Amino acid sequence: MPVSNYNKYELTDHAKQRISERLGITVKDMYRWTYRMLSEAVPIESTDTKEGVRYQARNIIFVLDEAELKVLTVYPESKYGADTDLREALNPDLVRSLQKPLRDYLKKRQAVLSNEVAGYVNDLNFASLNYQNTAAPEDLAEIVNIMRALEGQIGDYYQTLADVQKLQITG
């Protein structure tokens, strides 16, 4: 069963910090991203723990206080554990050799997203004109569908960015 009343959840300061540092989501996009993910999330444990109830959407784990409607923390699912830095878990030579391909991949992904955004903006303009002319509910629904699709693409990009950042060597 998905998270009920997902759009009423508040993010704790700890959750905001973890979303930012672990997933690279900006404060500006944090609530929109969280609500989209919670709308897809399913419980992953049958019993509550004192830390909260765990839900998963895609490869992201959310720990929720369902009584208080709070997101307590967020982390990516990882076979290395939530707080493991992949750069420390993997062979350093391998991580170093991945840096250029990672940068190249990210540039390619940015170009793809740029083209996708341009296409969605065109679709949104067309749907907006239709709605202005008709004020029909189905035209308004089309605008909402386009915005959700765009938001999904941006969310996927943020996840890719967070994954790439986990493997980048700083300094």
Side-chain angles (χ1 to χ4, degrees):
M1 173 189 309
V3 178
S4 56
N5 297 320
Y6 64 86
N7 59 345
K8 294 187 177 172
Y9 274 76
E10 290 292 321
L11 294 168
T12 62
D13 289 340
H14 176 80
K16 289 176 188 176
Q17 180 182 359
R18 294 302 182 240
I19 291 170
S20 176
E21 67 187 31
R22 290 176 176 161
L23 303 170
I25 308 293
T26 64
V27 174
K28 176 181 159 201
D29 298 316
M30 213 169 270
Y31 273 95
R32 191 175 37 199
W33 176 84
T34 299
Y35 293 154
R36 182 174 55 82
M37 295 299 279
L38 288 179
S39 74
E40 303 172 10
V42 294
I44 57 171
E45 293 178 355
S46 59
T47 60
D48 295 356
T49 65
K50 65 181 180 178
E51 294 86 28
V53 180
R54 286 175 171 66
Y55 281 81
Q56 181 171 357
R58 301 180 193 183
N59 65 338
I60 306 296
I61 308 297
F62 292 84
V63 180
L64 307 177
D65 179 337
E66 291 180 316
E68 298 289 324
L69 297 177
K70 292 187 186 256
V71 177
L72 302 175
T73 194
V74 178
Y75 54 89
E77 179 183 44
S78 169
K79 67 181 182 179
Y80 299 110
D83 293 322
T84 301
D85 184 338
L86 288 180
R87 291 170 295 198
E88 295 172 11
L90 298 175
N91 178 314
D93 292 333
L94 172 63
V95 173
R96 246 186 316 282
S97 70
L98 290 174
Q99 297 313 295
K100 183 175 180 340
L102 282 171
R103 283 190 300 274
D104 294 345
Y105 174 77
L106 195 54
K107 284 180 184 175
K108 193 180 300 181
R109 186 65 183 94
Q110 288 167 335
V112 168
L113 179 63
S114 178
N115 288 333
E116 290 172 346
V117 168
Y120 283 119
V121 168
N122 285 337
D123 293 346
L124 195 55
N125 285 333
F126 184 71
S128 177
L129 288 173
N130 283 345
Y131 182 71
Q132 286 174 351
N133 291 330
T134 66
E138 58 271 10
D139 289 334
L140 186 59
E142 180 62 16
I143 291 171
V144 170
N145 289 337
I146 293 167
M147 291 173 62
R148 284 186 180 149
L150 174 58
E151 187 176 39
Q153 291 296 323
I154 292 171
D156 291 345
Y157 172 75
Y158 279 138
Q159 182 61 51
T160 298
L161 182 61
D163 292 342
V164 167
Q165 286 174 338
K166 288 177 204 166
L167 291 173
Q168 288 181 328
I169 297 175
T170 56

